[in-house]
Amino acid sequence: MDCRVVVEAAVPVYDVETVDEAVRIAISKTGEMLNPDLKYVEINMGSRSSPGGEELPPAFIAADEALVALELEMTVFNVEQEEHASRIARKEIGQRLENIPLKVLSVERVDDDSVETDGEGDTRAETGASDDDDALVDFDDLVDDR
């Protein structure tokens, strides 16, 4: 099973005056830390709300320093459980974002509609098996019918 995992990150940014500036710098800073190893992670502006449900800006600014909420999305392949996918995503992202708190927001199963067959149920191209596998001979093919 494949899962799409969304992880929230609290990214500190220094010497900023506006929320927009803080968000731009946080996205850039996070992108630099993730690339080139995790260039497939999507970085989006996070959402925050007050305990009363009021929508808040994605950054909190005090004394020209900000804490920005970002959402990092990645797809984790070939896992057995959603919990396993969330652990993998936290580990992969957390290794590159040192000293940045992370929280898994959601884990969704990705449909396997992208896997196509050739009409005979063969999914070799999608599973990564090579054409050299055709050179393997089945033992039954070697036995003569005498």
Side-chain angles (χ1 to χ4, degrees):
M1 141 176 81
D2 302 337
C3 292
R4 187 80 174 157
V5 181
V6 179
V7 178
E8 181 181 44
V11 181
V13 179
Y14 307 101
D15 298 323
V16 293
E17 295 179 7
T18 66
V19 170
D20 290 338
E21 181 183 18
V23 170
R24 280 195 315 270
I25 292 171
I27 290 173
S28 176
K29 177 181 175 179
T30 303
E32 287 176 9
M33 287 189 278
L34 293 175
N35 281 322
D37 296 332
L38 295 181
K39 61 184 174 188
Y40 49 84
V41 174
E42 295 177 27
I43 304 170
N44 299 309
M45 184 172 57
S47 60
R48 297 178 32 229
S49 60
S50 69
E54 179 185 349
E55 192 69 28
L56 298 173
F60 173 76
I61 300 176
D64 291 337
E65 294 186 7
L67 189 60
V68 182
L70 295 180
E71 292 180 359
L72 310 173
E73 296 182 35
M74 71 180 288
T75 302
V76 182
F77 300 98
N78 299 325
V79 293
E80 294 180 12
Q81 299 176 0
E82 292 177 5
E83 181 181 334
H84 186 215
S86 68
R87 278 191 261 139
I88 290 172
R90 278 183 53 106
K91 180 181 183 249
E92 290 295 316
I93 294 171
Q95 286 179 339
R96 283 138 186 109
L97 300 182
E98 293 183 25
N99 299 322
I100 294 182
L102 300 174
K103 176 185 176 186
V104 176
L105 295 179
S106 67
V107 180
E108 298 176 8
R109 290 184 180 183
V110 178
D111 292 335
D112 291 334
D113 293 340
S114 61
V115 176
E116 299 176 3
T117 62
D118 65 0
E120 297 176 10
D122 186 12
T123 58
R124 179 178 315 153
E126 288 77 25
T127 60
S130 69
D131 289 334
D132 293 338
D133 290 343
D134 291 339
L136 298 176
V137 179
D138 188 10
F139 180 73
D140 293 334
D141 294 338
L142 296 176
V143 176
D144 260 342
D145 292 326
R146 293 183 190 187

